[in-house]
């Protein structure tokens, strides 16, 4: 059975769009936290949680495609775990697009993590998850 690379591309793009929305909501969350608007912050955290669930659902759907058999599982494992920066230039259009979307998603996740770290440190102060302590 041939793996549906186009479907994987679509699911990865859907996941990327969810992370773009998470990024937007994180920026907005920073703004409402600065205003000490707890109601809006709570709503935004819920919306962020929904988008995280959407991203996770898309990712799970891709991995579920590996149930088609050992060949599909091997191909999906290669596409989803190999270093996207080292993508083979001779791959198909779909394969190249998959690696491109994965590269963009990885960069966006790092950006979100940094914003989240700064926000957490600002809100949590000394009790922030990111404060280094002697344990």
């Amino acid at each position: 059975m041939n793996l549906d690379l186009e479907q994987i591309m679509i699911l990865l793009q859907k996941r990327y769009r969810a992370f773009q929305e998470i990024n937007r909501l994180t920026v907005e969350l920073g703004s409402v936290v600065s205003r000490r608007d707890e109601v809006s912050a709570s709503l935004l955290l819920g919306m962020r949680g929904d988008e995280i669930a959407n991203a996770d659902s898309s990712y799970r759907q891709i991995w579920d495609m590996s149930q088609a058999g050992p060949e599909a599982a091997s191909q999906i494992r290669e596409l989803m775990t190999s270093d996207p920066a080292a993508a083979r230039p001779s791959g198909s259009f779909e394969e190249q697009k998959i690696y491109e979307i994965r590269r963009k998603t990885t960069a966006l996740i790092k950006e979100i993590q940094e914003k989240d770290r700064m926000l957490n440190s600002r809100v949590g102060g000394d009790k922030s998850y990111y404060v280094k302590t002697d344990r």
Side-chain angles (χ1 to χ4, degrees):
M1 173 189 169
N2 286 338
L3 191 60
D4 188 353
L5 294 178
E6 184 175 352
Q7 182 63 21
I8 292 173
M9 273 182 2
I10 290 168
L11 289 167
L12 283 174
Q13 187 63 38
K14 183 178 174 186
R15 182 174 182 257
Y16 178 70
R17 282 192 306 270
F19 277 111
Q20 287 178 311
E21 183 63 9
I22 291 165
N23 189 39
R24 185 190 71 75
L25 291 168
T26 301
V27 169
E28 197 170 330
L29 182 60
S31 175
V32 300
V33 164
S34 294
R35 293 190 318 258
R36 300 186 192 277
D37 183 349
E38 292 179 23
V39 173
S40 295
S42 179
L43 289 172
L44 287 169
L45 285 170
M47 292 168 64
R48 251 178 43 142
D50 292 344
E51 288 301 324
I52 290 169
N54 289 339
D56 186 52
S57 174
S58 296
Y59 207 57
R60 254 185 288 118
Q61 288 177 45
I62 293 168
W63 285 104
D64 287 349
M65 293 170 74
S66 67
Q67 299 299 315
E71 186 178 325
S74 176
Q75 285 179 294
I76 289 174
R77 188 172 32 260
E78 174 69 25
L79 286 171
M80 300 304 293
T81 61
S82 63
D83 181 6
R88 298 179 306 277
S90 60
S92 68
F93 167 78
E94 291 87 356
E95 191 174 334
Q96 289 302 309
K97 197 68 175 167
I98 287 168
Y99 286 117
E100 177 187 333
I101 295 167
R102 284 190 56 222
R103 279 190 294 273
K104 291 186 332 185
T105 302
T106 299
L108 184 56
I109 289 171
K110 287 179 183 176
E111 182 181 332
I112 293 167
Q113 286 173 329
E114 181 58 26
K115 288 175 184 173
D116 200 58
R117 184 192 65 73
M118 289 173 26
L119 183 60
N120 186 288
S121 295
R122 190 170 62 189
V123 170
D126 290 343
K127 295 179 182 173
S128 169
Y129 173 81
Y130 296 99
V131 172
K132 294 182 174 151
T133 61
D134 295 322
R135 296 181 201 201

